[in-house]
């Protein structure tokens, strides 16, 4: 616990305290529904509603103090802390309140458009194999060793992240492996975290609805690597792991002022993959690095997973894990849910569910499927609503180019009309379609998956792209249960 006065002294800016500065704070939340007696409530402005409208609700639940940008009409026993910039004040106060757990554990951050989830899980698997207690924070979940915690954003906000990290430290976690999104870096959700190893996977078009320009998107990613050389560090041994085959790898290297380790398959790199053999359910390749050369065999497949594995090897090497442990760990790593995940029900064609929801990831998933020499590829895919519209026709062209039968359908339409979204995607399909090539538009996702299974022949591959591990679909009318894997299994059984 800390007093209100202690918390305010850490604020890098002007503040005003109305009430008892010696009152102790027992917790912090920006969600009035989660307030416990003695907490500080942060009136964080949302997309549609200012958090100050929930201050009275927070007080009713026992909030001892409120952090706000305006004077509020609250009971006299509730302390009001008024600041000019609530985001900056929160970034100062919250990590301090939790005693900076992100400076007490080894922090490994993974950023990039694609590959973050699989890369973080491979790194965590290797570190656990080396005997460390590992926490994971990412798109699918947060993990404390093997205990799963629910999560709402790829990188949680400052309050939730510091709570996760504090709990992890209390439970004896030594290493935290995190997906660090461009939104989190741009919004500074990772305030108070000191990263030790940072991984760059790749950079392709996504999130331009938020960042507006690709330059802004790149600049957000670069922040993770610039932070490795901060003068405020309390830990040593900083390393940047960079995909040199990616066109933007050189830009990332340009902002690094610490030890770097490049990886790749095409260009010369510190970690170089060669002699790749990619099959439907496994893959193998040789890697040469500072430790010499080793032949690796994996129970995951795809060229993209070769890159993810090289990135993980680099991170593990930077954290001092031996080559022998890395080799053994990679042999026992299984796929991450919804990442090129096979759906097996005894059928004579392959069904793969993948999270690929960007042009680059869709292209990589389809080229991986093509490398397996299927009779045909049937691609079921769509684009989300209320997100980057410019990628819709691009993904349509990619599906037309790499799939034999593209089936355009809904993803998470959110507030948009799903028929409008599929029309924009179909424009790209029609631009890329080859003479005699068949395509279909089926707005209902369940019907689209059933159709793909119905027309599949022996030796085909069906790629169901876009939602991966998600077990829901976000519609204008609300969120419903929807799991591509479940629907695919039902469709196969019903053939």
């Amino acid at each position: 616990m800390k007093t209100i006065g202690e918390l305010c002294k850490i604020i890098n800016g002007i503040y005003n305290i109305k009430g008892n500065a010696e009152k102790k704070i027992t917790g912090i939340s920006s969600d009035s529904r989660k307030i416990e007696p003695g907490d500080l409530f942060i009136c964080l402005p949302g997309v549609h509603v200012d958090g100050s409208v929930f201050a009275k609700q927070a007080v009713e639940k026992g909030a001892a103090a409120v952090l706000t940008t305006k004077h509020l009409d609250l009971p006299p026993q509730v302390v009001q802390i008024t600041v000019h910039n609530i985001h900056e004040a929160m970034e100062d106060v919250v990590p301090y309140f939790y005693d900076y757990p992100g400076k007490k554990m080894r922090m490994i951050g993974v950023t990039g458009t694609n590959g973050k989830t699989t890369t973080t899980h491979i790194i965590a698997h290797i570190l656990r194999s080396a005997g460390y207690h590992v926490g994971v924070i990412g798109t699918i979940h947060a993990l404390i060793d093997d205990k799963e915690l629910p999560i709402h954003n790829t990188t949680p906000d400052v309050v939730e992240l510091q709570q996760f990290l504090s709990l992890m430290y209390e439970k004896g976690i030594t290493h935290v492996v995190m997906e660090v999104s461009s939104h989190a870096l741009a919004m500074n959700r990772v305030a108070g975290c000191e990263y030790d190893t940072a991984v760059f996977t790749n950079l392709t078009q996504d999130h331009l609805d938020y960042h507006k320009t690709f330059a802004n998107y790149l600049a957000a990613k670069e922040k993770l690597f610039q932070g490795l050389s901060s003068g405020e560090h309390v830990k040593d041994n900083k390393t940047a792991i960079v995909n040199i085959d990616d066109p933007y790898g050189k830009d990332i290297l340009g902002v690094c002022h610490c030890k770097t380790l490049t990886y790749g398959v095409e260009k010369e790199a510190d970690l170089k993959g060669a002699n790749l053999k990619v099959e439907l359910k496994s893959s193998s390749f040789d890697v040469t690095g500072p430790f010499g050369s080793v032949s690796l065999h994996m129970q995951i497949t795809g060229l993209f997973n070769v890159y993810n594995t090289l990135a993980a090897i680099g991170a593990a090497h930077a954290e001092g894990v031996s080559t022998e442990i890395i080799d053994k760990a990679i042999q026992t790593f299984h796929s991450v849910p919804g990442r090129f995940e096979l759906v097996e029900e005894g059928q004579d064609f392959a069904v793969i569910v993948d999270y690929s929801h960007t042009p680059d990831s869709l292209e990589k998933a389809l080229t991986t499927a093509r490398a397996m020499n299927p009779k045909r590829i049937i691609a079921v895919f769509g684009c989300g609503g209320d997100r980057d519209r410019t990628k819709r026709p691009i993904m349509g062209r990619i599906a037309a180019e790499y799939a034999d039968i593209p089936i355009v359908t809904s993803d998470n339409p959110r507030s948009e009309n799903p028929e409008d979204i599929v029309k924009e995607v179909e424009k790209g399909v029609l631009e890329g379609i080859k003479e005699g090539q068949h395509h279909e538009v089926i707005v209902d996702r369940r019907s689209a998956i059933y159709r793909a299974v119905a027309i599949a022949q022996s030796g085909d591959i069906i790629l169901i792209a876009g939602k991966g591990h998600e077990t829901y679909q976000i519609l204008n009318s609300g969120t419903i249960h929807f799991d591509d894997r479940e629907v695919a299994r039902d469709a196969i059984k019903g053939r």
Side-chain angles (χ1 to χ4, degrees), residues 98-153:
Y98 289 102
D99 293 324
Y100 301 102
K103 294 179 182 290
K104 297 175 181 178
M105 301 171 286
R106 294 294 294 179
M107 298 286 293
I108 301 161
V110 179
T111 197
T113 307
N114 303 309
K116 296 187 294 295
T117 299
T118 299
T119 301
T120 53
H121 281 76
I122 299 173
I123 294 170
H125 183 70
I126 295 171
L127 291 172
R128 289 192 187 104
S129 299
Y132 295 114
H133 291 286
V134 184
V136 175
I137 299 175
T139 306
I140 299 176
H141 49 213
L143 292 173
I144 298 180
D145 284 328
D146 58 356
K147 182 182 179 182
E148 185 170 341
L149 304 171
I151 201 163
H152 304 293
N153 293 306

Side-chain angles (χ1 to χ4, degrees), residues 40 83 116 130 158 164 174 255 258 289 328 361 384 388 395 400 402 441 456 490 493:
L40 167 67
V83 294
K116 296 187 294 295
V158 175
F164 275 141
T174 58
V255 302
C258 62
K328 289 179 181 177
S361 61
D388 183 3
M395 291 180 68
Y402 292 100
V441 176
D490 290 344
K493 290 175 183 176

Side-chain angles (χ1 to χ4, degrees), residues 136-438:
V136 175
I137 299 175
T139 306
I140 299 176
H141 49 213
L143 292 173
I144 298 180
D145 284 328
D146 58 356
K147 182 182 179 182
E148 185 170 341
L149 304 171
I151 201 163
H152 304 293
N153 293 306
T154 298
T155 311
D157 65 24
V158 175
V159 178
E160 189 178 20
L161 177 57
Q162 293 300 317
Q163 289 171 345
F164 275 141
L165 293 175
S166 179
L167 181 60
M168 287 177 175
Y169 182 71
E170 288 174 11
K171 297 294 184 181
I173 293 297
T174 58
H175 292 67
V176 177
V177 191
M178 279 184 61
E179 295 182 48
V180 187
S181 69
S182 57
H183 289 75
L185 290 162
M187 297 177 189
N188 202 23
R189 290 180 190 159
V190 294
C193 294
E194 180 187 327
Y195 290 95
D196 303 293
T197 297
V199 177
F200 170 71
T201 60
N202 49 63
L203 198 68
T204 60
Q205 182 171 339
D206 199 17
H207 303 308
L208 296 191
D209 54 315
Y210 174 78
H211 296 290
K212 306 304 180 187
T213 69
F214 204 89
N216 291 342
Y217 186 29
L218 173 61
K221 296 294 189 186
E222 288 176 339
K223 287 184 178 182
L224 179 63
F225 300 87
Q226 292 164 334
L228 291 175
S229 53
S230 168
E232 300 177 358
H233 286 166
V234 298
K235 297 175 285 182
D236 56 13
N237 185 27
K238 309 294 182 183
T239 310
I241 315 296
V242 180
N243 178 1
I244 198 61
D245 284 353
D246 188 88
Y248 296 94
K250 62 182 184 300
D251 295 283
I252 299 296
L253 288 172
V255 302
C256 294
H257 301 287
C258 62
K259 183 170 61 177
T260 61
L261 194 64
T262 60
Y263 68 93
V265 172
E266 299 170 0
K267 297 180 181 178
E268 287 305 312
D270 298 319
L271 286 170
K272 180 71 181 289
N275 302 321
L276 280 60
K277 185 179 181 182
V278 177
E279 299 176 326
L280 183 60
K281 297 181 181 180
S282 64
S283 53
S284 62
F285 66 100
D286 298 331
V287 58
T288 303
F291 43 73
S293 184
V294 62
S295 295
L296 299 175
H297 300 274
M298 309 187 298
Q299 297 184 52
I300 54 176
T301 190
L303 177 60
F304 51 86
N305 275 328
V306 172
Y307 279 96
N308 294 337
T309 303
L310 284 170
I313 292 170
H317 180 74
E319 291 298 323
V321 181
S322 72
T323 308
E324 292 74 22
I325 291 174
I326 293 172
D327 183 12
K328 289 179 181 177
I330 287 171
Q331 290 182 49
T332 58
F333 179 79
H334 296 275
S335 66
V336 178
R339 269 59 178 180
F340 219 74
E341 183 178 352
L342 283 165
V343 178
E344 295 275 14
E345 288 293 339
Q347 74 276 15
D348 59 359
F349 52 89
V351 177
I352 297 167
V353 171
D354 190 68
Y355 189 54
S356 43
H357 61 287
T358 66
D360 180 67
S361 61
L362 180 62
E363 182 176 344
K364 285 177 177 173
L366 287 168
T367 53
T368 295
R370 180 63 65 194
M372 296 166 185
N373 298 313
K375 184 177 180 181
R376 300 178 305 175
I377 296 176
I378 304 169
V380 180
F381 74 107
C383 289
D386 303 332
R387 298 293 185 269
D388 183 3
R389 292 179 60 179
T390 63
K391 70 181 183 182
R392 293 173 185 174
I394 298 172
M395 291 180 68
R397 286 195 295 272
I398 288 169
E401 180 179 354
Y402 292 100
D404 298 286
I405 305 175
I407 300 178
V408 183
T409 190
S410 291
D411 191 287
N412 290 317
R414 300 183 176 86
S415 71
E416 288 192 62
N417 183 337
E419 293 186 0
D420 293 339
I421 299 173
V422 298
K423 284 178 183 176
E424 291 184 34
V425 177
E426 189 186 19
K427 285 180 183 177
V429 173
L430 294 173
E431 290 171 7
I433 207 86
K434 297 175 280 291
E435 186 176 349
Q437 186 180 6
H438 176 66

Side-chain angles (χ1 to χ4, degrees), residues 18-37:
K18 181 183 178 183
N20 181 11
E22 296 305 310
K23 183 176 285 190
K24 290 187 181 293
I25 295 297
T26 55
I28 299 178
S29 181
S30 58
D31 186 338
S32 60
R33 296 165 298 184
K34 297 180 180 178
I35 286 290
E36 300 286 341

